[in-house]
Amino acid sequence: VLRTLSTSDDVEDRETEKGRLEEAYEKCDRDLDELIVQHYTELTTAIRTYQSITERITNSRNKIKQVKENLLSCKMLLHCKRDELRKLWIEGIEHKHVLNLLDEIENIKQVPQKLEQCMASKHYLNATDMLVSAVDSLEGPLLQVEGLSDLRLELHSKKMNMHLVLIDELHRHLYIKSTNRVGQRNKEKGRISSLVKDASSVPLMDVTNLSTPRKFLETSQFSTPGSSSMRETSLLEIKEDVELDPEENSTVFMGILIKGLAKLKKIPETVKAIQDRLEQELKQIVKRSTTQVADNGYQRGENLSQENQPR
């Protein structure tokens, strides 16, 4: 408009041009008013929609800003709580360990009573396992517990003397129990001989089938490596049945005793004790056997004399 007016030569041209421009402006204004009247509804809807979109965008920006602020605050709080959470986790582990120690203490307090029951029922392997584990616990994790000092001394003393009981039981089965079986067979054959009138026809006691340590040693010398390994494995796999009589099988019982002595680490003392008492025990076997033979001979003589057979 300014360029058009400035290029005019005189005032009349400028006025003419100005009038033409004003007329065009008025026409454009009328056309715009008509268009507004025609499209008023659409325009109003567009304005309202644009306003609502603007408001939603503004609200979303505010919410996102608030979420960012919350995330930053949570990050700070988590960072601050991390040390506290680690402390609580460590305390939980400590409390769990303390509970385990308390349970172990309760179990160890019952060891003397259970030990007496196992010793009374001659379940020596269970007693040895129980005693060794209890002493290891008392001298290990529970070493600093002052309230268990008396129990520690008591169980340690029992552990030191446990092998003496096992050695005595081993000697009893080695020398007394085995010879008692021979004596029982001799008595049974003596009863049979008392029913027979001719004493010369009574068969002598057969001892060739009795399992003695020497025969066991001889068979083990000529056995194959596989069989010896099986024998060692069977000794390692010996288990004690609490419900059965432990002395029912003498061989298994002696294996249990040896296993208990091995757990107590008293095998050298056991070997030395067996060597020291070997001569004395063999003399006792001879003495008992002599007494049994003499008694049986006297009883046979009495029976024969009663039958008027002085022979």
Side-chain angles (χ1 to χ4, degrees):
V1 173
L2 294 175
R3 187 182 299 111
T4 302
L5 294 177
S6 61
T7 55
S8 300
D9 296 334
D10 51 9
V11 178
E12 184 178 357
D13 293 336
R14 284 196 290 275
E15 290 294 332
T16 303
E17 186 66 22
K18 179 180 179 183
R20 188 174 65 80
L21 290 173
E22 287 179 351
E23 184 180 357
Y25 179 76
E26 289 176 357
K27 183 177 181 301
C28 180
D29 198 13
R30 286 195 303 271
D31 293 340
L32 183 62
D33 290 338
E34 291 177 358
L35 289 173
I36 288 174
V37 171
Q38 293 176 3
H39 301 282
Y40 177 77
T41 305
E42 290 84 352
L43 183 63
T44 304
T45 304
I47 291 174
R48 290 178 180 177
T49 304
Y50 178 77
Q51 185 178 1
S52 64
I53 292 173
T54 307
E55 290 178 355
R56 289 182 181 180
I57 292 175
T58 304
N59 293 332
S60 299
R61 286 179 177 177
N62 293 330
K63 289 180 180 180
I64 290 174
K65 184 178 179 181
Q66 186 177 1
V67 168
K68 286 183 178 179
E69 292 177 354
N70 291 334
L71 287 175
L72 289 175
S73 62
C74 288
K75 184 177 180 181
M76 293 299 296
L77 290 175
L78 289 175
H79 183 74
C80 296
K81 293 289 184 180
R82 183 178 59 185
D83 295 335
E84 186 177 355
L85 290 173
R86 184 184 291 109
K87 182 180 178 182
L88 292 174
W89 177 66
I90 294 174
E91 287 181 356
I93 294 177
E94 291 176 352
H95 289 316
K96 185 177 180 180
H97 184 64
V98 168
L99 288 176
N100 292 332
L101 289 179
L102 290 175
D103 292 337
E104 190 173 357
I105 289 173
E106 289 295 328
N107 293 329
I108 288 178
K109 284 183 178 180
Q110 300 175 2
V111 166
Q113 182 180 359
K114 293 181 179 179
L115 189 63
E116 290 180 0
Q117 295 176 357
C118 290
M119 295 296 289
S121 60
K122 295 188 177 183
H123 293 104
Y124 294 116
L125 189 57
N126 291 335
T128 304
D129 290 335
M130 190 188 310
L131 184 60
V132 170
S133 62
V135 172
D136 290 341
S137 297
L138 288 173
E139 293 180 355
L142 302 178
L143 182 61
Q144 304 298 327
V145 182
E146 295 295 334
L148 299 175
S149 57
D150 295 337
L151 183 61
R152 187 182 298 110
L153 293 175
E154 179 185 355
L155 293 181
H156 187 72
S157 175
K158 288 185 177 181
K159 182 182 177 183
M160 294 300 294
N161 297 323
M162 182 79 169
H163 69 286
L164 299 177
V165 179
L166 299 185
I167 291 174
D168 289 338
E169 287 289 335
L170 185 60
H171 277 86
R172 187 170 67 85
H173 274 261
L174 275 175
Y175 300 109
I176 299 176
K177 195 82 173 178
S178 58
T179 55
N180 281 341
R181 289 198 299 269
V182 179
Q184 291 296 330
R185 294 184 182 181
N186 196 9
K187 287 181 180 179
E188 291 176 0
K189 293 193 175 183
R191 294 192 190 98
I192 295 174
S193 65
S194 63
L195 300 176
V196 180
K197 293 184 178 180
D198 189 2
S200 61
S201 64
V202 176
L204 297 176
M205 182 179 61
D206 184 13
V207 296
T208 57
N209 294 325
L210 293 178
S211 60
T212 61
R214 181 174 296 276
K215 291 181 181 178
F216 179 77
L217 180 61
E218 291 173 354
T219 56
S220 63
Q221 285 177 351
F222 295 103
S223 60
T224 60
S227 61
S228 61
S229 63
M230 286 176 64
R231 185 175 292 112
E232 292 175 358
T233 305
S234 64
L235 179 61
L236 293 175
E237 292 178 353
I238 286 179
K239 294 183 180 180
E240 194 173 39
D241 195 347
V242 183
E243 298 179 356
L244 298 178
D245 184 10
E247 295 184 287
E248 183 178 356
N249 190 337
S250 184
T251 306
V252 175
F253 185 70
M254 285 191 286
I256 288 173
L257 292 175
I258 293 173
K259 194 171 182 180
L261 290 167
K263 289 180 179 293
L264 292 172
K265 299 180 181 179
K266 296 294 183 180
I267 294 296
E269 289 83 350
T270 305
V271 174
K272 186 176 183 303
I274 291 176
Q275 290 176 348
D276 293 341
R277 295 171 58 175
L278 179 60
E279 182 178 358
Q280 177 185 356
E281 293 291 346
L282 290 178
K283 287 180 179 180
Q284 291 294 327
I285 290 177
V286 174
K287 184 178 179 180
R288 290 194 301 271
S289 302
T290 306
T291 305
Q292 289 178 3
V293 171
D295 291 341
N296 291 334
Y298 178 77
Q299 184 64 36
R300 287 174 58 188
E302 289 290 332
N303 293 335
L304 292 176
S305 63
Q306 291 177 2
E307 295 173 359
N308 298 320
Q309 294 180 0
R311 176 184 57 188

